[in-house]
Amino acid sequence: LQDNLREADALDWTYMNGGHGNVGAHEDIAFHLAFIDDLVAAVGTAMGEVPWGFGVDPATLTAHTAMLPAWYEEIAR
């Protein structure tokens, strides 16, 4: 997504109608790219802070498959 946004931003245009949304400007692409950077940083921080297996008691499991969704849910929170 970021590569596509950067490529569109590099084109020579004043206003963009990308299809399903409002007409935008280069500033809108910059805002969206900054949002993605912030989101990636926040998820990376959460992934480093939430221990693997958070919220799951391994003694109650018969398979490890419950651990990943529980970890993702806590990261998202």
Side-chain angles (χ1 to χ4, degrees):
L1 176 61
Q2 292 107 312
D3 289 344
N4 289 342
L5 289 170
R6 287 186 194 99
E7 188 172 336
D9 193 39
L11 298 173
D12 183 22
W13 50 270
T14 304
Y15 298 103
M16 178 178 74
N17 182 343
H20 301 278
N22 296 331
V23 173
H26 290 279
E27 293 81 15
D28 297 313
I29 290 179
F31 178 87
H32 199 83
L33 286 168
F35 170 79
I36 293 170
D37 288 343
D38 291 345
L39 181 61
V40 167
V43 170
T45 297
M47 288 177 77
E49 293 175 354
V50 176
W52 171 250
F54 181 90
V56 177
D57 180 4
T60 64
L61 300 178
T62 58
H64 69 280
T65 54
M67 297 180 93
L68 185 61
W71 188 61
Y72 281 160
E73 185 176 328
E74 185 59 23
I75 287 168
R77 190 180 347 268

Coordinates of all heavy atoms in Angstrom, one line a residue:
L1 N 0.8 -1.2 0.0 CA 0.0 0.0 0.0 C 0.9 1.3 0.0 O 0.6 2.2 -0.8 CB -0.9 0.0 1.2 CG -1.8 1.3 1.4 CD1 -2.7 1.5 0.2 CD2 -2.6 1.2 2.6
Q2 N 1.9 1.3 0.9 CA 2.7 2.5 0.9 C 3.4 2.7 -0.4 O 3.5 3.9 -0.9 CB 3.8 2.4 2.0 CG 3.2 2.4 3.4 CD 3.2 1.0 4.1 OE1 2.8 0.0 3.5 NE2 3.7 1.0 5.3
D3 N 3.9 1.7 -1.1 CA 4.6 1.8 -2.4 C 3.6 2.4 -3.4 O 4.0 3.3 -4.2 CB 5.1 0.5 -2.9 CG 6.4 0.0 -2.1 OD1 7.0 0.9 -1.4 OD2 6.7 -1.2 -2.2
N4 N 2.4 1.9 -3.4 CA 1.4 2.4 -4.3 C 1.1 3.9 -4.0 O 0.9 4.7 -5.0 CB 0.1 1.6 -4.3 CG 0.3 0.2 -4.9 OD1 1.2 0.0 -5.6 ND2 -0.6 -0.6 -4.5
L5 N 0.9 4.3 -2.8 CA 0.7 5.7 -2.4 C 1.8 6.6 -2.8 O 1.6 7.7 -3.4 CB 0.4 5.8 -0.9 CG -0.9 5.2 -0.4 CD1 -1.0 5.2 1.1 CD2 -2.1 6.0 -1.0
R6 N 3.1 6.1 -2.6 CA 4.2 6.9 -3.0 C 4.3 7.1 -4.5 O 4.7 8.2 -5.0 CB 5.5 6.3 -2.4 CG 5.7 6.5 -0.9 CD 7.0 6.0 -0.4 NE 7.0 5.8 1.0 CZ 6.8 4.7 1.6 NH1 6.7 3.5 1.0 NH2 6.8 4.7 3.0
E7 N 4.0 6.0 -5.2 CA 4.0 6.1 -6.7 C 3.0 7.1 -7.2 O 3.2 7.9 -8.1 CB 3.8 4.7 -7.3 CG 4.0 4.7 -8.8 CD 4.0 3.3 -9.3 OE1 4.3 2.3 -8.6 OE2 3.7 3.2 -10.5
A8 N 1.8 7.0 -6.6 CA 0.7 7.9 -7.0 C 1.1 9.4 -6.7 O 0.8 10.3 -7.4 CB -0.6 7.5 -6.4
D9 N 1.7 9.5 -5.5 CA 2.1 10.9 -5.1 C 3.1 11.5 -6.0 O 3.2 12.7 -6.1 CB 2.6 10.8 -3.6 CG 2.7 12.1 -3.0 OD1 1.8 13.0 -3.2 OD2 3.6 12.4 -2.2
A10 N 4.0 10.7 -6.5 CA 5.1 11.1 -7.4 C 4.6 11.6 -8.8 O 5.3 12.3 -9.5 CB 6.1 10.1 -7.6
L11 N 3.4 11.3 -9.1 CA 2.8 11.7 -10.4 C 2.5 13.2 -10.4 O 2.3 13.8 -9.4 CB 1.6 10.8 -10.8 CG 1.8 9.3 -10.9 CD1 0.5 8.6 -11.0 CD2 2.7 9.0 -12.1
D12 N 2.4 13.7 -11.6 CA 2.1 15.2 -11.7 C 0.5 15.4 -11.8 O -0.1 15.1 -12.8 CB 2.7 15.7 -13.0 CG 2.5 17.2 -13.2 OD1 2.2 17.9 -12.2 OD2 2.6 17.6 -14.4
W13 N 0.0 15.7 -10.7 CA -1.5 16.0 -10.6 C -1.7 17.0 -9.5 O -0.9 17.2 -8.6 CB -2.3 14.8 -10.4 CG -1.9 13.9 -9.3 CD1 -1.0 12.8 -9.4 CD2 -2.3 13.9 -7.9 NE1 -0.8 12.3 -8.1 CE2 -1.6 12.9 -7.2 CE3 -3.1 14.7 -7.2 CZ2 -1.7 12.7 -5.9 CZ3 -3.3 14.5 -5.9 CH2 -2.6 13.5 -5.2
T14 N -2.8 17.7 -9.6 CA -3.2 18.6 -8.5 C -4.3 18.0 -7.6 O -4.2 18.1 -6.4 CB -3.8 19.9 -9.2 OG1 -2.8 20.5 -10.1 CG2 -4.1 21.0 -8.1
Y15 N -5.3 17.4 -8.2 CA -6.3 16.7 -7.4 C -6.5 15.3 -8.0 O -6.3 15.1 -9.1 CB -7.7 17.4 -7.5 CG -7.6 18.8 -7.0 CD1 -7.5 19.9 -7.9 CD2 -7.6 19.1 -5.6 CE1 -7.4 21.2 -7.4 CE2 -7.5 20.4 -5.1 CZ -7.4 21.4 -6.0 OH -7.3 22.7 -5.5
M16 N -6.8 14.4 -7.0 CA -6.9 13.0 -7.4 C -8.3 12.5 -7.0 O -8.8 12.7 -5.9 CB -5.9 12.1 -6.7 CG -6.0 10.7 -7.1 SD -4.7 9.6 -6.3 CE -5.2 9.6 -4.6
N17 N -8.9 11.8 -8.0 CA -10.1 11.0 -7.7 C -9.8 9.6 -7.9 O -9.7 9.1 -9.0 CB -11.3 11.4 -8.6 CG -12.6 10.7 -8.3 OD1 -12.5 9.7 -7.6 ND2 -13.7 11.2 -8.7
G18 N -9.4 8.9 -6.8 CA -9.0 7.5 -6.8 C -10.1 6.5 -7.0 O -9.8 5.3 -7.1
G19 N -11.3 7.0 -7.0 CA -12.4 6.0 -7.2 C -13.4 6.1 -6.1 O -14.3 7.0 -6.1
H20 N -13.4 5.2 -5.1 CA -14.4 5.1 -4.1 C -14.1 6.0 -2.9 O -13.7 5.6 -1.8 CB -14.5 3.7 -3.6 CG -14.8 2.8 -4.7 ND1 -16.1 2.6 -5.1 CD2 -14.1 2.0 -5.5 CE1 -16.1 1.7 -6.1 NE2 -14.9 1.3 -6.4
G21 N -14.2 7.3 -3.1 CA -13.9 8.3 -2.0 C -13.9 9.7 -2.5 O -14.3 10.0 -3.6
N22 N -13.5 10.6 -1.6 CA -13.5 12.0 -1.9 C -12.3 12.3 -2.8 O -11.3 11.6 -2.9 CB -13.4 12.8 -0.6 CG -14.6 12.6 0.3 OD1 -15.7 12.4 -0.2 ND2 -14.4 12.7 1.6
V23 N -12.4 13.5 -3.4 CA -11.3 14.0 -4.2 C -10.2 14.4 -3.2 O -10.5 14.9 -2.1 CB -11.7 15.2 -5.1 CG1 -10.5 15.9 -5.7 CG2 -12.8 14.8 -6.1
G24 N -8.9 14.1 -3.5 CA -7.9 14.3 -2.6 C -6.7 15.1 -3.2 O -6.7 15.4 -4.4
A25 N -5.8 15.4 -2.4 CA -4.6 16.1 -2.8 C -3.3 15.4 -2.3 O -3.4 14.4 -1.5 CB -4.6 17.5 -2.2
H26 N -2.2 15.9 -2.6 CA -0.9 15.3 -2.2 C -0.8 15.3 -0.7 O -0.3 14.3 -0.1 CB 0.3 16.0 -2.8 CG 0.4 15.8 -4.3 ND1 1.0 14.7 -4.8 CD2 0.1 16.6 -5.3 CE1 1.0 14.8 -6.1 NE2 0.4 15.9 -6.5
E27 N -1.4 16.3 0.0 CA -1.4 16.3 1.4 C -2.1 15.1 2.1 O -1.8 14.7 3.1 CB -2.0 17.6 1.9 CG -1.1 18.9 1.6 CD -1.4 19.4 0.2 OE1 -2.4 18.9 -0.5 OE2 -0.6 20.2 -0.3
D28 N -3.2 14.7 1.4 CA -3.9 13.6 1.9 C -3.1 12.3 1.8 O -3.2 11.4 2.8 CB -5.2 13.4 1.1 CG -6.1 14.6 1.2 OD1 -6.4 15.0 2.4 OD2 -6.6 15.1 0.2
I29 N -2.3 12.1 0.8 CA -1.4 11.0 0.7 C -0.4 11.0 1.8 O -0.1 10.0 2.5 CB -0.8 10.8 -0.7 CG1 -1.9 10.5 -1.7 CG2 0.4 9.8 -0.7 CD1 -1.4 10.3 -3.1
A30 N 0.2 12.2 2.1 CA 1.2 12.4 3.1 C 0.6 12.0 4.5 O 1.2 11.4 5.3 CB 1.7 13.8 3.1
F31 N -0.7 12.5 4.7 CA -1.4 12.2 6.0 C -1.6 10.7 6.1 O -1.3 10.1 7.2 CB -2.7 12.9 6.0 CG -3.5 12.6 7.2 CD1 -3.3 13.3 8.4 CD2 -4.4 11.5 7.2 CE1 -4.1 13.0 9.5 CE2 -5.2 11.2 8.4 CZ -5.0 12.0 9.5
H32 N -2.0 10.0 5.0 CA -2.2 8.6 5.1 C -0.9 7.8 5.3 O -0.9 6.8 6.1 CB -2.9 8.1 3.8 CG -3.6 6.8 3.9 ND1 -4.9 6.7 4.4 CD2 -3.2 5.5 3.6 CE1 -5.2 5.4 4.4 NE2 -4.2 4.7 3.9
L33 N 0.2 8.2 4.7 CA 1.5 7.6 4.9 C 1.9 7.7 6.3 O 2.5 6.8 6.9 CB 2.5 8.1 3.9 CG 2.3 7.6 2.5 CD1 3.2 8.4 1.5 CD2 2.6 6.1 2.4
A34 N 1.7 8.9 6.9 CA 2.1 9.2 8.3 C 1.3 8.3 9.2 O 1.8 7.7 10.2 CB 1.9 10.6 8.6
F35 N 0.0 8.1 8.9 CA -0.9 7.3 9.7 C -0.4 5.8 9.7 O -0.3 5.1 10.7 CB -2.3 7.3 9.2 CG -3.2 6.3 9.8 CD1 -3.7 6.4 11.1 CD2 -3.5 5.1 9.2 CE1 -4.5 5.5 11.7 CE2 -4.3 4.1 9.7 CZ -4.8 4.3 11.0
I36 N 0.0 5.3 8.5 CA 0.5 4.0 8.4 C 1.8 3.8 9.2 O 2.0 2.8 9.9 CB 0.7 3.6 6.9 CG1 -0.7 3.5 6.2 CG2 1.4 2.2 6.8 CD1 -0.6 3.3 4.7
D37 N 2.7 4.8 9.1 CA 3.9 4.7 9.9 C 3.7 4.7 11.4 O 4.3 3.9 12.1 CB 4.8 5.9 9.6 CG 5.4 5.9 8.2 OD1 5.5 4.8 7.6 OD2 5.9 7.0 7.7
D38 N 2.7 5.5 11.8 CA 2.3 5.5 13.3 C 1.8 4.1 13.7 O 2.0 3.6 14.7 CB 1.4 6.6 13.6 CG 2.0 8.0 13.5 OD1 3.2 8.1 13.5 OD2 1.2 9.0 13.5
L39 N 0.9 3.6 12.8 CA 0.3 2.3 13.1 C 1.3 1.2 13.2 O 1.3 0.3 14.1 CB -0.8 2.0 12.0 CG -1.6 0.7 12.2 CD1 -2.3 0.7 13.5 CD2 -2.5 0.5 11.0
V40 N 2.2 1.2 12.2 CA 3.3 0.1 12.2 C 4.1 0.2 13.5 O 4.5 -0.8 14.1 CB 4.2 0.3 10.9 CG1 5.4 -0.6 11.0 CG2 3.3 -0.1 9.7
A41 N 4.5 1.5 13.9 CA 5.3 1.7 15.1 C 4.5 1.2 16.3 O 5.1 0.5 17.2 CB 5.7 3.1 15.2
A42 N 3.2 1.5 16.4 CA 2.4 1.1 17.6 C 2.3 -0.4 17.7 O 2.4 -1.0 18.8 CB 1.0 1.8 17.5
V43 N 2.1 -1.0 16.5 CA 1.9 -2.5 16.5 C 3.3 -3.1 16.9 O 3.3 -4.1 17.7 CB 1.4 -3.0 15.2 CG1 1.5 -4.5 15.1 CG2 0.0 -2.6 14.9
G44 N 4.4 -2.6 16.4 CA 5.7 -3.1 16.7 C 6.0 -3.0 18.2 O 6.5 -3.9 18.8
T45 N 5.6 -1.9 18.8 CA 5.8 -1.7 20.3 C 5.0 -2.7 21.0 O 5.5 -3.3 21.9 CB 5.4 -0.2 20.7 OG1 6.2 0.7 20.0 CG2 5.5 0.0 22.2
A46 N 3.7 -2.9 20.6 CA 2.8 -3.8 21.3 C 3.3 -5.2 21.2 O 3.3 -6.0 22.2 CB 1.4 -3.7 20.8
M47 N 3.8 -5.6 20.0 CA 4.4 -6.9 19.8 C 5.6 -7.2 20.7 O 5.8 -8.3 21.2 CB 4.8 -7.1 18.4 CG 3.6 -7.3 17.5 SD 4.0 -7.4 15.7 CE 4.5 -9.1 15.7
G48 N 6.3 -6.1 21.0 CA 7.5 -6.3 21.9 C 7.1 -6.3 23.4 O 7.9 -6.8 24.2
E49 N 6.0 -5.7 23.7 CA 5.6 -5.6 25.1 C 4.6 -6.8 25.6 O 4.6 -7.1 26.7 CB 4.9 -4.3 25.4 CG 5.8 -3.1 25.2 CD 5.1 -1.8 25.4 OE1 3.9 -1.8 25.4 OE2 5.8 -0.8 25.3
V50 N 3.9 -7.3 24.6 CA 2.9 -8.4 25.0 C 3.6 -9.7 24.9 O 4.1 -10.1 23.9 CB 1.7 -8.4 24.1 CG1 0.7 -9.5 24.4 CG2 1.0 -7.0 24.2
P51 N 3.7 -10.4 26.0 CA 4.4 -11.7 26.0 C 3.6 -12.8 25.2 O 2.4 -12.8 25.2 CB 4.5 -12.1 27.5 CG 3.5 -11.4 28.2 CD 3.2 -10.1 27.4
W52 N 4.3 -13.6 24.5 CA 3.7 -14.7 23.8 C 2.9 -15.6 24.7 O 3.3 -15.9 25.8 CB 4.8 -15.6 23.1 CG 4.2 -16.8 22.5 CD1 4.4 -18.1 22.9 CD2 3.4 -16.9 21.3 NE1 3.7 -18.9 22.1 CE2 3.1 -18.2 21.1 CE3 2.9 -15.9 20.4 CZ2 2.3 -18.7 20.0 CZ3 2.1 -16.4 19.4 CH2 1.8 -17.7 19.2
G53 N 1.7 -15.9 24.3 CA 0.8 -16.7 25.1 C 0.0 -15.9 26.1 O -0.7 -16.5 26.9
F54 N 0.0 -14.6 26.0 CA -0.7 -13.8 27.0 C -2.2 -14.2 27.0 O -2.8 -14.3 26.0 CB -0.6 -12.3 26.6 CG -1.3 -11.4 27.5 CD1 -0.7 -10.8 28.6 CD2 -2.7 -11.0 27.3 CE1 -1.3 -10.0 29.5 CE2 -3.3 -10.2 28.2 CZ -2.7 -9.7 29.3
G55 N -2.8 -14.3 28.2 CA -4.2 -14.6 28.3 C -4.6 -16.1 28.1 O -5.7 -16.4 28.2
V56 N -3.6 -16.9 27.9 CA -3.9 -18.4 27.7 C -3.2 -19.2 28.7 O -2.0 -19.0 28.9 CB -3.5 -18.8 26.3 CG1 -3.7 -20.3 26.1 CG2 -4.2 -18.0 25.2
D57 N -3.9 -20.1 29.4 CA -3.3 -21.0 30.3 C -2.8 -22.2 29.6 O -3.7 -23.0 29.2 CB -4.3 -21.3 31.4 CG -3.7 -22.3 32.5 OD1 -2.5 -22.6 32.4 OD2 -4.4 -22.7 33.3
P58 N -1.5 -22.4 29.4 CA -1.0 -23.6 28.6 C -1.5 -24.9 29.2 O -1.6 -25.9 28.5 CB 0.5 -23.4 28.6 CG 0.8 -22.0 29.0 CD -0.4 -21.5 29.8
A59 N -1.7 -24.9 30.5 CA -2.1 -26.2 31.1 C -3.5 -26.6 30.7 O -3.9 -27.8 30.8 CB -2.1 -26.0 32.7
T60 N -4.3 -25.7 30.1 CA -5.7 -26.1 29.7 C -5.7 -26.4 28.2 O -6.8 -26.7 27.7 CB -6.6 -24.9 30.0 OG1 -6.3 -23.8 29.2 CG2 -6.6 -24.5 31.5
L61 N -4.6 -26.3 27.5 CA -4.6 -26.5 26.1 C -4.3 -27.9 25.7 O -3.5 -28.6 26.3 CB -3.6 -25.6 25.4 CG -3.8 -24.1 25.6 CD1 -2.7 -23.3 24.9 CD2 -5.1 -23.6 25.1
T62 N -4.9 -28.3 24.6 CA -4.5 -29.6 23.9 C -3.7 -29.3 22.6 O -3.2 -30.3 22.0 CB -5.7 -30.5 23.6 OG1 -6.6 -29.7 22.8 CG2 -6.4 -30.9 24.9
A63 N -3.7 -28.0 22.2 CA -2.9 -27.6 21.1 C -2.5 -26.2 21.3 O -3.1 -25.4 22.0 CB -3.8 -27.8 19.8
H64 N -1.4 -25.8 20.6 CA -0.9 -24.4 20.7 C -1.7 -23.4 19.9 O -1.5 -22.2 20.0 CB 0.5 -24.4 20.3 CG 0.7 -24.6 18.8 ND1 0.7 -25.8 18.3 CD2 0.9 -23.7 17.8 CE1 0.9 -25.7 17.0 NE2 1.0 -24.5 16.7
T65 N -2.7 -23.8 19.1 CA -3.3 -22.9 18.1 C -4.1 -21.8 18.8 O -4.4 -20.8 18.1 CB -4.3 -23.8 17.2 OG1 -5.2 -24.5 18.0 CG2 -3.5 -24.7 16.3
A66 N -4.5 -21.9 20.1 CA -5.2 -20.9 20.7 C -4.3 -19.7 21.1 O -4.8 -18.6 21.4 CB -5.9 -21.4 22.0
M67 N -3.0 -19.9 21.1 CA -2.1 -18.9 21.6 C -1.9 -17.7 20.6 O -1.9 -16.6 21.1 CB -0.7 -19.5 21.9 CG -0.8 -20.5 23.0 SD 0.7 -21.3 23.4 CE 1.3 -20.2 24.7
L68 N -1.9 -18.0 19.3 CA -1.7 -16.9 18.4 C -2.9 -15.9 18.4 O -2.7 -14.7 18.4 CB -1.4 -17.4 17.0 CG -1.0 -16.4 15.9 CD1 0.2 -15.6 16.3 CD2 -0.8 -17.1 14.6
P69 N -4.1 -16.4 18.2 CA -5.2 -15.5 18.2 C -5.3 -14.6 19.5 O -5.7 -13.5 19.5 CB -6.5 -16.3 18.0 CG -6.0 -17.6 17.6 CD -4.6 -17.8 18.0
A70 N -5.0 -15.3 20.7 CA -5.0 -14.5 21.9 C -4.0 -13.5 22.0 O -4.2 -12.3 22.4 CB -4.9 -15.5 23.1
W71 N -2.8 -13.8 21.4 CA -1.7 -12.8 21.4 C -2.1 -11.6 20.5 O -1.9 -10.5 20.8 CB -0.5 -13.5 20.9 CG 0.8 -12.7 21.0 CD1 1.4 -12.2 22.1 CD2 1.7 -12.4 19.9 NE1 2.6 -11.6 21.8 CE2 2.8 -11.7 20.4 CE3 1.6 -12.6 18.5 CZ2 3.8 -11.2 19.6 CZ3 2.7 -12.2 17.7 CH2 3.7 -11.5 18.3
Y72 N -2.6 -11.9 19.3 CA -3.0 -10.9 18.4 C -4.1 -10.0 19.0 O -4.1 -8.8 18.8 CB -3.6 -11.5 17.1 CG -2.6 -12.0 16.1 CD1 -2.9 -12.9 15.1 CD2 -1.3 -11.5 16.1 CE1 -2.0 -13.4 14.2 CE2 -0.3 -12.0 15.2 CZ -0.7 -12.9 14.2 OH 0.2 -13.4 13.3
E73 N -5.1 -10.6 19.7 CA -6.1 -9.9 20.3 C -5.6 -8.9 21.3 O -6.0 -7.7 21.4 CB -7.1 -10.8 21.0 CG -8.4 -10.1 21.5 CD -9.4 -11.0 22.1 OE1 -9.5 -12.2 21.6 OE2 -10.1 -10.6 23.0
E74 N -4.6 -9.3 22.1 CA -4.1 -8.4 23.1 C -3.2 -7.3 22.5 O -3.2 -6.2 22.9 CB -3.2 -9.2 24.2 CG -2.7 -8.4 25.3 CD -3.8 -7.7 26.1 OE1 -4.9 -8.2 26.1 OE2 -3.5 -6.7 26.8
I75 N -2.5 -7.7 21.4 CA -1.7 -6.6 20.7 C -2.7 -5.6 20.1 O -2.4 -4.4 20.2 CB -0.9 -7.3 19.6 CG1 0.3 -8.1 20.2 CG2 -0.4 -6.3 18.6 CD1 1.0 -9.0 19.2
A76 N -3.8 -6.0 19.6 CA -4.8 -5.1 19.0 C -5.4 -4.2 20.1 O -5.7 -3.0 19.8 CB -5.9 -5.8 18.3
R77 N -5.6 -4.7 21.3 CA -6.2 -4.0 22.4 C -5.2 -2.8 22.8 O -5.5 -1.7 23.0 CB -6.4 -4.9 23.5 CG -7.3 -4.2 24.6 CD -7.5 -5.1 25.8 NE -7.3 -6.6 25.7 CZ -8.2 -7.5 25.3 NH1 -9.4 -7.1 24.9 NH2 -7.8 -8.7 25.2

